[in-house]
């Protein structure tokens, strides 16, 4: 995706929904806005219900994402790292240092997982329903000059425990036609806009040849690609928390304060996609990577941290709730994520850190989420501060990678190689944690070639 197109996508995701609605005709716009208002109200009600459970009556408001607003989020690096409380991933709760890999796996890692489960992303219920995958269609088609086999799949979730919720997970898989053995696959969390919405056409150039898409870049390496639609697993709002997989598992009740949020639900969907890949002979399920952008970048990192079968992660502009340190006062803040528009991504307990507690009270921080991926390779991707903006906090995500380094080293792997935030477009791919800030906007697009160079070391060129 080129920077202008990427910028358009970011606008779609972050602009008020009324702006999004302008690309629809007036009847559709009215219906869309009415539906959005209902969702906002129901989300606010559920958020309030969770605050009551937590015994909280007020929260600190988050800063504005509009750089011109009087309460704009901080974009001044000198005010960003005032914290002194970053948890050490290699100090046990009893204060003793972790000195061996065995101790990491046996003691420290479970401690960190438990903190993330309880306070940040929520606990996934036991005994979740089975998913029956069905290939709905299988077609041979061309992607550029490469023939592929594309399967459209539906994962029917068993709802015999609570039939009020019906769920069908949507997945598309394309693999190179005629591959002689199972291929590596990158799984992308796919955005889906309202059916009636017509995205603006990307700018066309008559001189420059079209760049290969990320899918075509994968095919050129002999790999396949898949897209999972997260909103077919769980809606992207608080109004939907009593539906989707969270509502199905919960039989339509409100969440408890440590129940899972939407990021973990989306990650659960990605795990079910791996289950399918394990049954598909065209896919090498030991070489499946996960990629996502923004809210789906957060979900991709959560999936990578919790699902050991993911071999590699490409984490795009994940920001707050992703790879960016919660403790950094720069760009989006915990107070924003804890608000009624985003709290559903997290456990209810996370709201506490926007009042009465502060992000400094969190028992864990984002570097420990990256550390949960160790020893597997992770690529942290950001866009340029001028084109993408500072909301996502590129340096905060870089530091998430830096401070995961000691865990990678303990496990015999290589860290990022530096703790100095590098100039834009510097490629840091020599370690098992990689980072690059590209010159474009809110997209992983310009980082795909670099990611693939990094990934090839682990996944191989497939022919
Ligand atoms: C908002 C939100 C971010 C999120 C982004 C997106 O900007 O504040 O946390 O990453 O939307 O998903 O596009």
């Amino acid at each position: 995706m080129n920077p202008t197109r990427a910028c358009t996508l970011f606008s779609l995701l972050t602009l008020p929904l009324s702006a999004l609605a302008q690309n629809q005709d007036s009847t559709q716009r009215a219906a869309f806005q009415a539906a959005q208002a209902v969702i906002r109200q129901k989300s606010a009600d559920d958020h309030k219900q969770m605050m009551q459970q937590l015994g909280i009556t007020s929260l600190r408001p988050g800063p504005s994402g509009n750089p011109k607003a009087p309460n704009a989020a901080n974009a001044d690096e000198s005010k960003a790292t005032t914290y002194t409380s970053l948890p050490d991933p290699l100090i046990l709760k009893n204060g003793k240092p972790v000195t061996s890999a065995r101790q990491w796996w046996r003691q420290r890692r479970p401690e960190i997982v438990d903190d993330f489960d309880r306070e940040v992303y929520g606990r996934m219920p036991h005994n979740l329903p089975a998913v029956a995958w069905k290939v709905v269609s299988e077609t041979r088609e061309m992607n550029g000059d490469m023939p592929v086999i594309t399967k459209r799949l539906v994962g029917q979730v068993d709802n015999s425990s609570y039939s009020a919720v019906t769920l069908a997970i949507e997945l598309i898989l394309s693999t190179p036609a005629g591959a002689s053995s199972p291929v590596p696959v990158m799984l992308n969390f796919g955005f889906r806009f309202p059916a009636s919405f017509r995205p603006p056409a990307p700018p066309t150039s008559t001189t420059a040849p079209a760049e290969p898409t990320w899918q075509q870049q994968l095919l050129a390496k002999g790999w396949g690609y898949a897209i999972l639609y997260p909103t077919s697993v769980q809606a992207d709002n608080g109004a939907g928390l009593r539906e989707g997989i969270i509502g199905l598992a919960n039989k339509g009740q409100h969440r408890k304060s440590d129940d899972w949020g939407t990021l973990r639900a989306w990650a659960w969907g990605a795990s079910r996609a791996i289950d399918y890949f394990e049954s598909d002979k065209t896919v090498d399920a030991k070489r499946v990577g996960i990629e996502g952008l923004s809210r789906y970048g957060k979900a991709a990192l959560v999936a990578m941290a919790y699902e050991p079968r993911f071999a590699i992660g490409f984490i795009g502009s994940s920001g707050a709730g992703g790879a960016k340190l919660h403790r950094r006062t720069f760009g989006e803040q915990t107070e924003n994520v804890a608000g009624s528009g985003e709290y559903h991504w997290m456990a209810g307990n996370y709201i506490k850190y926007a009042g009465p507690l502060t992000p400094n009270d969190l028992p864990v921080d984002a570097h420990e989420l990256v550390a949960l991926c160790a020893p597997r390779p992770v690529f942290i991707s950001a866009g340029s501060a001028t084109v993408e903006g500072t909301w996502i906090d590129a340096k905060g995500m870089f530091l998430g990678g830096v401070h995961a380094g000691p865990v990678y080293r303990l496990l015999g792997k290589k860290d990022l190689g530096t703790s100095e935030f590098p100039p834009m477009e510097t490629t840091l791919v020599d370690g098992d944690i990689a980072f690059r800030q590209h010159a474009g906007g809110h997209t992983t697009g310009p980082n795909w070639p670099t990611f693939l160079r990094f990934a090839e070391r682990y996944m191989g060129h497939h022919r």
Side-chain angles (χ1 to χ4, degrees), residues 10 13-14 191 293-296 298 317-320 332 336-337 342 345 391-392 442:
F10 190 38
L13 296 168
T14 54
F191 283 99
L293 173 75
S294 213
R295 62 200 62 197
Y296 295 159
K298 306 180 209 298
S317 298
S318 56
E332 183 169 23
N336 299 98
V337 181
E342 299 183 2
W345 293 335
W391 184 242
I392 238 69
H442 195 51

mmCIF file of all heavy atoms in Angstrom, residues 10 13-14 191 293-296 298 317-320 332 336-337 342 345 391-392 442, ligand 1:
data_model
loop_
_atom_site.group_PDB
_atom_site.id
_atom_site.type_symbol
_atom_site.label_atom_id
_atom_site.label_comp_id
_atom_site.label_asym_id
_atom_site.label_seq_id
_atom_site.Cartn_x
_atom_site.Cartn_y
_atom_site.Cartn_z
ATOM 1 N N PHE A 10 -5.914 4.811 7.504
ATOM 2 C CA PHE A 10 -5.843 5.267 8.887
ATOM 3 C C PHE A 10 -7.004 6.207 9.171
ATOM 4 O O PHE A 10 -7.664 6.124 10.195
ATOM 5 C CB PHE A 10 -4.495 5.951 9.148
ATOM 6 C CG PHE A 10 -4.256 6.229 10.611
ATOM 7 C CD1 PHE A 10 -4.659 5.306 11.567
ATOM 8 C CD2 PHE A 10 -3.619 7.376 11.030
ATOM 9 C CE1 PHE A 10 -4.431 5.523 12.922
ATOM 10 C CE2 PHE A 10 -3.396 7.619 12.378
ATOM 11 C CZ PHE A 10 -3.806 6.687 13.316
ATOM 12 N N LEU A 13 -10.051 4.462 9.888
ATOM 13 C CA LEU A 13 -10.106 3.798 11.177
ATOM 14 C C LEU A 13 -10.225 4.773 12.324
ATOM 15 O O LEU A 13 -10.715 4.438 13.381
ATOM 16 C CB LEU A 13 -8.843 2.963 11.368
ATOM 17 C CG LEU A 13 -8.721 1.823 10.365
ATOM 18 C CD1 LEU A 13 -7.346 1.234 10.432
ATOM 19 C CD2 LEU A 13 -9.770 0.781 10.641
ATOM 20 N N THR A 14 -9.743 5.971 12.141
ATOM 21 C CA THR A 14 -9.651 6.853 13.287
ATOM 22 C C THR A 14 -10.587 8.055 13.203
ATOM 23 O O THR A 14 -10.914 8.629 14.212
ATOM 24 C CB THR A 14 -8.216 7.367 13.458
ATOM 25 O OG1 THR A 14 -7.815 7.946 12.236
ATOM 26 C CG2 THR A 14 -7.270 6.243 13.815
ATOM 27 N N PHE A 191 -9.259 -6.322 7.654
ATOM 28 C CA PHE A 191 -10.269 -5.292 7.933
ATOM 29 C C PHE A 191 -11.466 -5.503 7.021
ATOM 30 O O PHE A 191 -11.322 -5.921 5.876
ATOM 31 C CB PHE A 191 -9.694 -3.894 7.670
ATOM 32 C CG PHE A 191 -8.777 -3.428 8.768
ATOM 33 C CD1 PHE A 191 -7.399 -3.528 8.633
ATOM 34 C CD2 PHE A 191 -9.299 -2.913 9.941
ATOM 35 C CE1 PHE A 191 -6.548 -3.107 9.650
ATOM 36 C CE2 PHE A 191 -8.465 -2.487 10.956
ATOM 37 C CZ PHE A 191 -7.084 -2.576 10.817
ATOM 38 N N LEU A 293 -2.375 -5.046 11.593
ATOM 39 C CA LEU A 293 -2.090 -3.616 11.690
ATOM 40 C C LEU A 293 -2.988 -2.967 12.731
ATOM 41 O O LEU A 293 -4.199 -3.230 12.766
ATOM 42 C CB LEU A 293 -2.363 -2.949 10.333
ATOM 43 C CG LEU A 293 -2.264 -1.419 10.333
ATOM 44 C CD1 LEU A 293 -0.809 -0.983 10.373
ATOM 45 C CD2 LEU A 293 -2.952 -0.819 9.110
ATOM 46 N N SER A 294 -2.386 -2.108 13.554
ATOM 47 C CA SER A 294 -3.160 -1.260 14.432
ATOM 48 C C SER A 294 -3.894 -2.093 15.477
ATOM 49 O O SER A 294 -3.257 -2.876 16.179
ATOM 50 C CB SER A 294 -4.113 -0.410 13.589
ATOM 51 O OG SER A 294 -4.298 0.827 14.205
ATOM 52 N N ARG A 295 -5.235 -2.023 15.561
ATOM 53 C CA ARG A 295 -5.907 -2.879 16.549
ATOM 54 C C ARG A 295 -5.617 -4.354 16.222
ATOM 55 O O ARG A 295 -5.532 -5.182 17.105
ATOM 56 C CB ARG A 295 -7.409 -2.601 16.580
ATOM 57 C CG ARG A 295 -8.134 -2.883 15.316
ATOM 58 C CD ARG A 295 -9.449 -2.139 15.264
ATOM 59 N NE ARG A 295 -9.226 -0.693 15.303
ATOM 60 C CZ ARG A 295 -10.164 0.200 15.592
ATOM 61 N NH1 ARG A 295 -11.386 -0.188 15.842
ATOM 62 N NH2 ARG A 295 -9.880 1.487 15.615
ATOM 63 N N TYR A 296 -5.469 -4.641 14.947
ATOM 64 C CA TYR A 296 -5.140 -6.027 14.581
ATOM 65 C C TYR A 296 -3.636 -6.305 14.760
ATOM 66 O O TYR A 296 -3.226 -7.472 14.782
ATOM 67 C CB TYR A 296 -5.590 -6.332 13.159
ATOM 68 C CG TYR A 296 -7.104 -6.295 12.980
ATOM 69 C CD1 TYR A 296 -7.680 -6.119 11.729
ATOM 70 C CD2 TYR A 296 -7.960 -6.448 14.077
ATOM 71 C CE1 TYR A 296 -9.065 -6.089 11.561
ATOM 72 C CE2 TYR A 296 -9.337 -6.411 13.918
ATOM 73 C CZ TYR A 296 -9.897 -6.231 12.663
ATOM 74 O OH TYR A 296 -11.263 -6.204 12.508
ATOM 75 N N LYS A 298 -2.201 -5.203 17.532
ATOM 76 C CA LYS A 298 -2.275 -5.596 18.954
ATOM 77 C C LYS A 298 -2.679 -7.074 19.022
ATOM 78 O O LYS A 298 -2.088 -7.869 19.757
ATOM 79 C CB LYS A 298 -3.329 -4.764 19.697
ATOM 80 C CG LYS A 298 -3.189 -3.231 19.590
ATOM 81 C CD LYS A 298 -4.306 -2.527 20.369
ATOM 82 C CE LYS A 298 -4.719 -1.163 19.833
ATOM 83 N NZ LYS A 298 -3.767 -0.109 19.801
ATOM 84 N N SER A 317 2.212 -1.294 13.627
ATOM 85 C CA SER A 317 1.673 -0.101 14.293
ATOM 86 C C SER A 317 0.671 -0.459 15.389
ATOM 87 O O SER A 317 -0.453 0.037 15.405
ATOM 88 C CB SER A 317 1.015 0.828 13.255
ATOM 89 O OG SER A 317 1.982 1.253 12.329
ATOM 90 N N SER A 318 1.103 -1.304 16.302
ATOM 91 C CA SER A 318 0.182 -1.846 17.305
ATOM 92 C C SER A 318 -0.132 -0.857 18.421
ATOM 93 O O SER A 318 -1.179 -0.947 19.056
ATOM 94 C CB SER A 318 0.748 -3.141 17.890
ATOM 95 O OG SER A 318 2.035 -2.926 18.432
ATOM 96 N N GLY A 319 0.780 0.085 18.683
ATOM 97 C CA GLY A 319 0.505 1.164 19.630
ATOM 98 C C GLY A 319 0.076 0.702 21.017
ATOM 99 O O GLY A 319 0.458 -0.380 21.475
ATOM 100 N N ALA A 320 -0.756 1.538 21.660
ATOM 101 C CA ALA A 320 -1.202 1.266 23.034
ATOM 102 C C ALA A 320 -2.014 -0.027 23.086
ATOM 103 O O ALA A 320 -2.908 -0.246 22.273
ATOM 104 C CB ALA A 320 -2.051 2.428 23.524
ATOM 105 N N GLU A 332 -1.113 7.750 22.232
ATOM 106 C CA GLU A 332 -2.293 7.194 22.907
ATOM 107 C C GLU A 332 -1.939 6.668 24.294
ATOM 108 O O GLU A 332 -0.885 6.077 24.506
ATOM 109 C CB GLU A 332 -2.886 6.060 22.061
ATOM 110 C CG GLU A 332 -4.153 5.506 22.692
ATOM 111 C CD GLU A 332 -4.934 4.564 21.793
ATOM 112 O OE1 GLU A 332 -4.357 3.982 20.872
ATOM 113 O OE2 GLU A 332 -6.148 4.420 22.056
ATOM 114 N N ASN A 336 -7.142 6.323 27.171
ATOM 115 C CA ASN A 336 -7.910 6.195 25.935
ATOM 116 C C ASN A 336 -8.407 4.762 25.766
ATOM 117 O O ASN A 336 -9.582 4.532 25.451
ATOM 118 C CB ASN A 336 -7.049 6.568 24.712
ATOM 119 C CG ASN A 336 -6.549 7.996 24.766
ATOM 120 O OD1 ASN A 336 -5.409 8.251 25.172
ATOM 121 N ND2 ASN A 336 -7.394 8.942 24.398
ATOM 122 N N VAL A 337 -7.497 3.817 25.970
ATOM 123 C CA VAL A 337 -7.848 2.403 25.760
ATOM 124 C C VAL A 337 -8.912 1.965 26.772
ATOM 125 O O VAL A 337 -9.747 1.115 26.479
ATOM 126 C CB VAL A 337 -6.589 1.510 25.841
ATOM 127 C CG1 VAL A 337 -6.941 0.045 25.612
ATOM 128 C CG2 VAL A 337 -5.534 1.960 24.819
ATOM 129 N N GLU A 342 -12.903 1.646 23.464
ATOM 130 C CA GLU A 342 -11.812 0.678 23.249
ATOM 131 C C GLU A 342 -11.650 -0.358 24.365
ATOM 132 O O GLU A 342 -10.935 -1.342 24.183
ATOM 133 C CB GLU A 342 -10.477 1.436 23.070
ATOM 134 C CG GLU A 342 -10.488 2.370 21.866
ATOM 135 C CD GLU A 342 -9.167 3.092 21.603
ATOM 136 O OE1 GLU A 342 -8.182 2.856 22.328
ATOM 137 O OE2 GLU A 342 -9.137 3.909 20.669
ATOM 138 N N TRP A 345 -11.407 -4.247 24.054
ATOM 139 C CA TRP A 345 -10.229 -4.999 23.607
ATOM 140 C C TRP A 345 -9.562 -5.729 24.784
ATOM 141 O O TRP A 345 -8.847 -6.698 24.597
ATOM 142 C CB TRP A 345 -9.188 -4.051 22.991
ATOM 143 C CG TRP A 345 -9.605 -3.400 21.706
ATOM 144 C CD1 TRP A 345 -10.522 -3.873 20.818
ATOM 145 C CD2 TRP A 345 -9.107 -2.177 21.162
ATOM 146 N NE1 TRP A 345 -10.631 -3.006 19.745
ATOM 147 C CE2 TRP A 345 -9.771 -1.962 19.940
ATOM 148 C CE3 TRP A 345 -8.170 -1.228 21.595
ATOM 149 C CZ2 TRP A 345 -9.513 -0.848 19.133
ATOM 150 C CZ3 TRP A 345 -7.919 -0.128 20.791
ATOM 151 C CH2 TRP A 345 -8.587 0.066 19.577
ATOM 152 N N TRP A 391 0.421 9.262 17.377
ATOM 153 C CA TRP A 391 -0.539 8.580 18.266
ATOM 154 C C TRP A 391 -0.085 7.157 18.593
ATOM 155 O O TRP A 391 -0.227 6.659 19.702
ATOM 156 C CB TRP A 391 -1.876 8.566 17.534
ATOM 157 C CG TRP A 391 -3.069 8.019 18.246
ATOM 158 C CD1 TRP A 391 -3.817 6.929 17.881
ATOM 159 C CD2 TRP A 391 -3.719 8.566 19.400
ATOM 160 N NE1 TRP A 391 -4.865 6.766 18.735
ATOM 161 C CE2 TRP A 391 -4.840 7.752 19.679
ATOM 162 C CE3 TRP A 391 -3.460 9.661 20.227
ATOM 163 C CZ2 TRP A 391 -5.698 8.002 20.745
ATOM 164 C CZ3 TRP A 391 -4.313 9.909 21.294
ATOM 165 C CH2 TRP A 391 -5.408 9.082 21.548
ATOM 166 N N ILE A 392 0.467 6.504 17.571
ATOM 167 C CA ILE A 392 0.838 5.088 17.665
ATOM 168 C C ILE A 392 2.155 4.907 18.440
ATOM 169 O O ILE A 392 2.446 3.848 18.971
ATOM 170 C CB ILE A 392 0.861 4.520 16.214
ATOM 171 C CG1 ILE A 392 -0.075 3.367 16.084
ATOM 172 C CG2 ILE A 392 2.224 4.181 15.691
ATOM 173 C CD1 ILE A 392 -1.520 3.688 16.166
ATOM 174 N N HIS A 442 -0.094 4.672 7.980
ATOM 175 C CA HIS A 442 -0.589 3.666 8.917
ATOM 176 C C HIS A 442 -0.837 2.356 8.172
ATOM 177 O O HIS A 442 -1.970 2.026 7.802
ATOM 178 C CB HIS A 442 -1.881 4.201 9.536
ATOM 179 C CG HIS A 442 -2.302 3.465 10.761
ATOM 180 N ND1 HIS A 442 -1.471 3.220 11.810
ATOM 181 C CD2 HIS A 442 -3.507 2.913 11.093
ATOM 182 C CE1 HIS A 442 -2.132 2.555 12.752
ATOM 183 N NE2 HIS A 442 -3.359 2.359 12.328
HETATM 184 C C1 LIG B 1 -7.467 4.155 17.077
HETATM 185 C C2 LIG B 1 -7.022 3.595 18.415
HETATM 186 C C3 LIG B 1 -5.741 2.784 18.284
HETATM 187 C C4 LIG B 1 -5.900 1.743 17.213
HETATM 188 C C5 LIG B 1 -6.358 2.392 15.941
HETATM 189 C C6 LIG B 1 -6.671 1.417 14.815
HETATM 190 O O1 LIG B 1 -6.553 5.105 16.652
HETATM 191 O O2 LIG B 1 -6.860 4.652 19.321
HETATM 192 O O3 LIG B 1 -5.424 2.153 19.517
HETATM 193 O O4 LIG B 1 -4.710 1.040 17.040
HETATM 194 O O5 LIG B 1 -7.558 3.116 16.152
HETATM 195 O O6 LIG B 1 -6.898 0.255 15.053
HETATM 196 O O7 LIG B 1 -6.704 1.858 13.708
#
